[in-house]
Every structure is written in C-alpha cells, then in structure tokens.
Amino acid sequence: MKALVTGGEGGIGRALRARLEQEGCDVESLDVANGFDVTSPDAWKRVGPVDVACLNAGVLTGDLSYENYRRAVSVNVDGVVLGVLHLREVMDAGAIVATASLAGLTGMPSDPVYSLTKHAVVGFVRSMAPLVEPIRLNAVCPGITDTPMIDGQRADLAATGFPLVLPSDVAEAMWRAVSGGGTGECWFVQPGREPAPFTFPNLPGPRVDGERVGAPPINGT
C-alpha cells in the first residue's frame, strides 16, 4: 500500500509513519521541513493517488494576533480541507484520516483558536464523509500528546501530574480507523484507554409524513 502523512516530520507524524511502515506501507512524508505547504492548492496538485492519507499537519496559535490566527486556520483547517478535496479526485477508494484533537470536542481556554480549528476538522470530517465514499474519511481526537509542540507547557503539565498521550497511541488509533470499516468517525484517544470512535447524539430531523428524516431545519420547526 502507498501512504502519505502530512506533518510527517513532527512527533505524531513520525509515529504515524512508523505504524504505517509496520503494516508494510510505502510512506511519503509531506512536511514544511521538506518543502511541502499543506495550505497551497498548487502543492496538492502534485500529489498522486494513495491508499492511505493521514492529514496530520498542525500548529498551536500562540498569542492571539491576527497573523497567528490566520496561520493556525490555514494549517489546521485549510490543510485538511484542501487535502480531502484533492485526494477525492485522485483516489478511487482507500482511507483518509485527519488528526483533530479532544480540543475539537470540548473547549480549550489556553488556545481558543486551536480549539476552533479542531472543531472545524471534526465537523468537516463528519459532514464530508458521505460525499467522498467509497473513500472512508475519519478523524482521531487525541488528548495532549507528548511531542515537542507542548515543550512550552511541559513543566506545568508535569507539576500537576497531567497524563500525556503517547504519539504511538495516536498512531494506533489512526490505524484502527484506517483498517476498520467505518467512515465519518472521530476516534477518542486518552491515556490508558483503548481508542474508540466517539459517539455523537443523533439529532431529530424534520417530519415527512409523520417520519423524521434528515437534519433539523434552521428555524427549528
């Protein structure tokens, strides 16, 4: 199998690559360190078909300047959306997995823009999955993961005994999402727990001939 990993030179990216290689995949790392810009449509046009794609590139925001806000949205959201839109044109089947975060399922006051971007990834994956079939589209949602990205928070986390997710835990969840049969799933990854798809409540839709179908209308009637 042929695979790609964006952000493949980071802590989670290297773990994803190692897990895919363990399964016999020929893995290509697409990373800013080797000249690949996930926010560029032109860069994506040079990417060919693969069996597995891990859209993993991501950044924290830092201070809430406009420049940092735009960078976080560009990498964390555009990098996923552009990847999926291109890959659906070149893949006939296979699996795409986006790295989201528990910050995409709950609030993260320490970095609200990061949380915004990961909520966007979760919403996009769940909404887009039916539109890219037979490609399967899922996300992994890890807690705070032990990578260089958290070096600035590491002392505080250690002082409070906060448990960290290992990059290998994220990679295992990714592989389960790839090798399972589901689509539109968001895999919950926490320390000491088996990764599993997060269960979302089913919202009731509008009534047609007494039956509820589809999504609720905007006006709620």
Side-chain angles (χ1 to χ4, degrees), residues 85-105:
L85 295 182
H86 171 74
L87 290 166
R88 72 170 178 171
E89 299 299 323
V90 299
M91 292 171 63
D92 295 323
I96 303 171
V97 180
T99 302
S101 171
L102 289 188
L105 302 173

Side-chain angles (χ1 to χ4, degrees), residues 121-134:
V121 170
V122 168
F124 181 72
V125 164
R126 297 188 67 219
S127 302
M128 193 71 182
L131 306 181
V132 298
E133 292 180 348

